[in-house]
């Protein structure tokens, strides 16, 4: 058995320089194709959104929630038969009223906090750090779940028209997730332009369908729920209505997105964002209340593997091309509804990272002037949820209503304190409006948490404090890092430190160690080579050859009866440091050769890499750090 070569493993990976360069070139071409060329930072001010593009970028989640919110209302009331379904419109109107109230509250948030940040910034500055982090955790969960729910609901919409796609829901949802992530990685204007087509297609098809449905209703009259409703499985009770109300409140998701992204708007940012929010709220109210009312009036009952909106479109438009267009438009807006999350999540993560509560990598702008790391993190989290829940929209719904309404409540409560502190013009009216919004969303939150607890809301309630604790741990790490790196209290250096002692681990006498020995002798007052003997007698052969080349550099041979390289070497370093007791640890110089071809690395061991890891992550001994220096030797063939 030959001795293990300590220095054969390359410095960073098992891929050689040629392979790395070729791979980098290929990846760079692919990145340019998918994402586009880098943009200079100076263009950041120009990468803003007009109101039309902003409506397309920020509103898909809010507008498309009409699809799954209506579905949840139907599923909640259908168990009570015709008596239950007859309460769909009152429940829908109650949710619409709450929607208007929340929209007005966030309109004030936009003007009170024009720099963005939404619920997190408002709650943190007015209620304290813990409430702010709670709002941030709730919003981040809401964004992830919104992306997952929107995409799965979008696939269900098109699968309702083409049932052959039903078994492939998860695959199709993941494909759309990748496409939307790539669009967002390309930048703001590209995203706004791409999102505009599905958003305005949905509006210009769904609104006329509602209008045509209203005309047909006036001509044909009301349908009979009694004749088509499924038999009642349980009586209609207040608890059932509240449970349905809590399910339908998912219609409000995404309404806070504009307040989080005010800086993305063209100047004047706050005014443009406020007008966009009002337009979005009006459209949401018409779409939601109109579709719920028509479904109840026409006594629409969906077939198996079909959504309530698909059944409504069939009833109003028939089975022709117009129905297919509606379903395609619904699928597209549900697909791009995830874009609201891709717009809000990365910015919120960047704000949290800037405040020290998340890894600082999330603050870095990518090549296209977007928060690339946040976009990729959201895509990974949403994809994981879709796989975990098998693409079932109904299973995901209970998880994110809690987070959304908790963020609403904390934000509006914070705005009450904000107006009370500012005491500007009309502050009392503004505070009262936000207070009413906080009270309404808190009541809705209580209803949602209780009625949906066993259906999955408990997961959100459990995860929220875990996220908050993690945020605090991240900040504690950064604060401790700042304390340890601070120059405060450190006395100025009074004298030049002594030249180091150097230890060179070797695997044998070859050209790969020549540069290492020469460098060590140029910087050190004392150089020692170390050879770990794995086979009896090999050390003496290495010693004789060593003394022919460097007779003035001592070589220590360490026996290793258990065939370990790392252990004997670490013990030797500790022992020699104790013996010298000279106020420093020995510097370790690692000679290592780099093979010419990537696959040559597979023919050599990884001992040098393991040794570096053991040295790097070992705690300081005797109060001093150990310096590690790599000396590469590149092979030609």
């Amino acid at each position: 058995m030959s001795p293990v070569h300590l220095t054969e493993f390359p410095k960073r990976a098992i891929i050689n320089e040629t392979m790395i360069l070729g791979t980098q070139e290929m990846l760079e071409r692919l990145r340019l194709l998918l994402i586009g060329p880098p943009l200079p930072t100076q263009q950041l001010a120009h990468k803003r959104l007009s109101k039309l593009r902003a409506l397309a970028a920020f509103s898909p989640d809010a507008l498309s929630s009409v699809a799954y919110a209506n579905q949840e209302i139907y599923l909640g009331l259908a168990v009570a038969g015709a008596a239950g379904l007859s309460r769909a419109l009152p429940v829908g109107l109650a949710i619409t009223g709450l929607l208007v109230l929340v929209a007005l509250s966030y309109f004030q948030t936009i003007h009170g906090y024009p720099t963005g940040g939404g619920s997190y910034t408002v709650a943190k500055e007015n209620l304290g750090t813990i409430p702010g982090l709670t709002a941030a955790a709730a919003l981040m969960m809401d964004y992830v779940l919104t992306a997952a729910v929107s995409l799965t609901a979008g696939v269900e919409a098109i699968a309702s028209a083409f049932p052959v796609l039903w078994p492939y829901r998860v695959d199709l949802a993941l494909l759309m997730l990748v496409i939307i992530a790539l669009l967002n990685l390309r930048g703001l204007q590209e995203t706004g332009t791409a999102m505009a087509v599905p958003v305005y297609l949905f509006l210009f098809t769904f609104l006329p369908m509602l209008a045509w449905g209203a005309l047909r209703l006036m001509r044909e009259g009301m349908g009979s729920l009694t004749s088509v409703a499924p038999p009642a499985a349980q009586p209609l009770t207040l608890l059932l209505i509240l449970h349905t109300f809590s399910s339908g409140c998912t219609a409000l998701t995404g309404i806070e997105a504009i307040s989080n992204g005010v800086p993305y708007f063209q100047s004047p940012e706050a005014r443009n964002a406020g007008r966009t929010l009002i337009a979005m709220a009006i459209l949401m109210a018409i779409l939601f209340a109109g579709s719920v009312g028509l479904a109840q009036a026409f006594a629409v009952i969906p077939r198996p593997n079909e959504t309530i909106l698909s059944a409504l479109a069939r009833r109003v438009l028939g089975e022709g091309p117009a129905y297919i267009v509606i379903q395609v438009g619904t699928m597209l807006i549900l697909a791009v509804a995830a874009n609201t999350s891709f717009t809000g999540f990365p910015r919120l993560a960047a704000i949290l990272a800037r405040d020290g509560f998340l890894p600082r990598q999330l603050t870095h702008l990518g090549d296209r002037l977007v928060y690339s790391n946040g976009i990729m993190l959201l895509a990974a989290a949403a994809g994981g949820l879709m796989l975990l829940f098998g693409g079932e929209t109904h299973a995901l719904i209970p998880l994110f209503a809690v987070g959304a309404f908790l963020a609403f409540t904390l934000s509006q409560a914070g705005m009450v304190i904000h107006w009370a502190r500012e005491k500007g013009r009309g502050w009392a009216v503004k505070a009262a409006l936000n207070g009413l919004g906080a009270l309404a969303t808190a009541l809705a939150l209580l209803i949602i948490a209780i009625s949906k607890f066993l259906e999955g809301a408990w997961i959100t309630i459990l995860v929220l404090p875990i996220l908050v604790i993690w945020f605090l741990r991240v900040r504690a790490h950064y604060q401790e890092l700042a304390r340890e790196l601070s120059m405060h209290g450190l006395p100025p250096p009074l004298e030049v430190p002594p030249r180091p002692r150097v230890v060179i681990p070797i695997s044998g006498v070859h050209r790969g160690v020549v540069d290492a020995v020469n460098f060590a002798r140029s910087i050190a007052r004392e150089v020692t080579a170390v050879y770990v003997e794995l086979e009896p007698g090999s050390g003496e052969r290495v010693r004789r050859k060593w003394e022919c080349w460097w007779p003035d550099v001592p070589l220590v041979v360490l026996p290793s009866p258990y065939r370990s390289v790392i252990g004997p070497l670490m013990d030797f370093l500790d022992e020699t440091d104790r013996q010298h007791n000279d106020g420093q640890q020995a510097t370790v110089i690692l000679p290592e050769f780099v093979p010419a071809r990537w696959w040559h690395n597979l023919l050599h061991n990884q001992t040098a890499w393991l040794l570096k890891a053991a040295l790097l992550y070992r705690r300081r001994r005797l109060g001093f750090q150990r310096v590690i220096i790599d000396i590469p030797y590149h092979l030609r063939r």
Side-chain angles (χ1 to χ4, degrees):
M1 181 183 297
S2 60
V4 176
H5 295 283
L6 294 177
T7 57
E8 293 178 349
F9 192 72
K11 182 177 181 181
R12 297 191 181 273
I14 63 170
I15 305 174
N16 70 353
E17 184 178 0
T18 304
M19 187 64 181
I20 291 175
L21 292 175
T23 303
Q24 287 178 340
E25 183 178 356
M26 181 180 66
L27 293 176
E28 178 66 14
R29 291 179 179 177
L30 181 61
R31 186 192 64 80
L32 290 175
L33 176 66
L34 295 177
I35 300 176
L39 297 173
T41 307
Q42 291 81 356
Q43 288 192 20
L44 184 60
H46 304 290
K47 299 291 288 185
R48 302 293 184 89
L49 299 175
S50 64
K51 290 190 289 293
L52 286 177
R53 281 180 171 173
L55 182 64
F58 288 103
S59 70
D61 176 24
L63 297 178
S64 67
S65 60
V66 62
Y68 46 82
N70 285 14
Q71 183 76 2
E72 292 302 306
I73 290 176
Y74 169 78
L75 293 175
L77 295 175
V79 296
L85 292 176
S86 66
R87 301 297 189 274
L89 183 58
V91 171
L93 291 177
I95 294 172
T96 303
L98 182 60
L99 185 155
V100 172
L101 183 59
V102 172
L104 291 174
S105 298
Y106 272 106
F107 180 82
Q108 298 194 143
T109 302
I110 288 172
H111 293 278
Y113 287 86
T115 57
S119 299
Y120 164 67
T121 301
V122 174
K124 180 173 177 287
E125 291 189 5
N126 296 287
L127 301 177
T129 299
I130 299 300
L133 293 178
T134 303
L139 271 180
M140 294 187 78
M141 290 187 64
D142 181 48
Y143 283 135
V144 173
L145 287 160
T146 294
V149 168
S150 299
L151 292 171
T152 55
V155 172
E156 287 177 357
I158 197 63
S160 296
F162 303 99
V164 69
L165 298 176
W166 203 262
Y168 306 102
R169 299 191 311 278
V170 176
D171 298 328
L172 292 173
L174 290 174
L175 176 62
M176 290 191 291
L177 177 67
V178 171
I179 293 172
I180 292 171
L182 288 175
L183 286 173
N184 278 273
L185 287 171
R186 290 191 66 90
L188 288 176
Q189 288 186 353
E190 287 77 4
T191 304
T193 302
M195 298 303 114
V197 175
V199 170
Y200 290 113
L201 173 65
F202 177 75
L203 290 175
F204 292 146
T205 56
F206 208 89
L207 290 173
M209 184 195 76
L210 294 180
W212 177 244
L215 289 175
R216 288 194 59 180
L217 182 64
M218 287 188 289
R219 291 202 310 261
E220 300 172 13
M222 302 278 287
S224 172
L225 283 170
T226 305
S227 61
V228 297
Q234 63 184 74
L236 179 64
T237 63
L238 177 61
L239 182 61
L240 178 64
I241 293 176
L242 291 177
H243 181 275
T244 304
F245 172 82
S246 67
S247 299
C249 279
T250 53
L252 275 68
T253 58
I255 199 170
E256 79 290 342
I258 291 178
S259 69
N260 293 339
V262 177
Y264 288 141
F265 284 78
Q266 291 178 348
S267 182
E269 291 87 350
R271 186 176 70 182
N272 287 334
R275 291 178 176 178
T276 305
L277 174 64
I278 294 301
M280 183 180 75
I282 293 173
L283 291 171
M284 287 174 66
I286 294 173
L287 292 171
F288 181 69
S291 58
V292 172
L294 279 181
Q296 178 179 322
F298 279 124
V300 170
I301 302 296
R303 299 174 295 189
N305 293 340
E306 183 182 31
T307 65
I308 187 68
L309 283 191
S310 171
L312 176 62
R314 277 193 303 103
R315 175 65 177 81
V316 174
L317 303 173
E319 302 262 2
Y323 164 74
I324 299 298
V325 171
I326 286 289
Q327 290 306 103
V328 171
T330 304
M331 180 205 69
L332 290 177
I333 195 171
L334 280 165
V336 302
N339 189 68
T340 301
S341 296
F342 279 97
T343 305
F345 181 95
R347 178 163 181 81
L348 176 59
I351 293 173
L352 283 167
R354 181 197 63 197
D355 292 345
F357 295 109
L358 279 178
R360 288 174 180 162
Q361 296 93 316
L362 293 170
T363 64
H364 298 163
L365 286 171
D367 288 344
R368 302 290 293 180
L369 302 180
V370 292
Y371 296 110
S372 310
N373 292 332
I375 291 171
M376 291 185 287
L377 176 61
L378 173 61
L385 275 179
M386 287 189 287
L387 289 171
L388 183 63
F389 286 86
E392 290 289 340
T393 303
H394 185 62
L396 287 165
I397 287 289
L399 275 68
F400 80 121
V402 171
F405 276 83
L406 178 58
F408 293 163
T409 302
L410 290 172
S411 174
Q412 303 319 306
M415 287 303 298
V416 173
I417 298 176
H418 170 77
W419 298 126
R421 287 174 177 171
E422 292 289 323
K423 294 190 183 299
R425 182 178 179 183
W427 72 270
V429 175
K430 296 177 180 178
L433 182 58
N434 281 123
L436 183 60
L439 183 63
T441 53
L443 181 60
L445 172 63
L446 183 64
I447 295 172
I448 294 168
I450 295 174
S451 62
K452 292 288 186 179
F453 184 82
L454 295 179
E455 296 180 25
W458 65 269
I459 299 176
T460 304
I461 296 171
L462 176 64
V463 171
L464 280 173
I466 294 175
L467 282 176
V468 172
I469 293 172
W470 184 57
F471 293 154
L472 294 173
R473 292 293 298 273
V474 170
R475 185 179 66 167
H477 165 75
Y478 281 129
Q479 290 175 337
E480 180 60 30
L481 177 67
R483 283 193 293 269
E484 293 199 24
L485 296 181
S486 173
M487 299 292 286
H488 180 71
L490 185 67
L494 301 178
E495 58 183 19
V496 178
R499 297 173 68 188
R501 289 180 291 107
V502 170
V503 172
I504 310 175
I506 66 168
S507 62
V509 180
H510 49 71
R511 292 192 180 192
V513 303
V514 174
D515 290 342
V517 174
N518 291 339
F519 178 76
R521 297 170 75 182
S522 71
I523 66 169
R525 57 186 171 86
E526 180 181 331
V527 179
T528 303
V530 176
Y531 176 78
V532 179
E533 184 182 55
L534 300 180
E535 291 184 359
S538 64
E540 189 58 33
R541 292 192 297 270
V542 171
R543 185 192 302 278
R544 287 196 298 269
K545 193 172 182 180
W546 179 269
E547 290 176 349
C548 293
W549 290 94
W550 296 286
D552 57 331
V553 177
L555 172 67
V556 176
V557 177
L558 302 176
S560 180
Y562 296 100
R563 299 161 303 283
S564 169
V565 174
I566 305 298
L569 185 59
M570 302 297 285
D571 292 340
F572 171 79
L573 291 172
D574 291 341
E575 180 61 27
T576 191
D577 288 338
R578 282 193 294 268
Q579 290 178 356
H580 283 81
N581 192 25
D582 55 0
Q584 62 176 309
Q585 290 190 6
T587 297
V588 177
I589 292 182
L590 292 174
E592 53 187 3
F593 64 77
V594 182
R597 300 184 183 277
W598 69 269
W599 61 270
H600 290 175
N601 294 287
L602 303 176
L603 306 179
H604 305 288
N605 62 62
Q606 304 180 18
T607 310
W609 182 83
L610 295 173
L611 178 58
K612 283 184 285 187
L615 291 169
L616 183 63
Y617 292 104
R618 201 177 202 198
R619 293 292 182 183
R620 64 173 66 190
R621 297 291 184 88
L622 306 175
F624 302 99
Q625 303 278 21
R626 189 181 305 283
V627 178
I628 308 165
I629 302 174
D630 293 295
I631 306 295
Y633 182 81
H634 290 266
L635 300 178
R636 290 172 293 181
R637 295 181 181 178

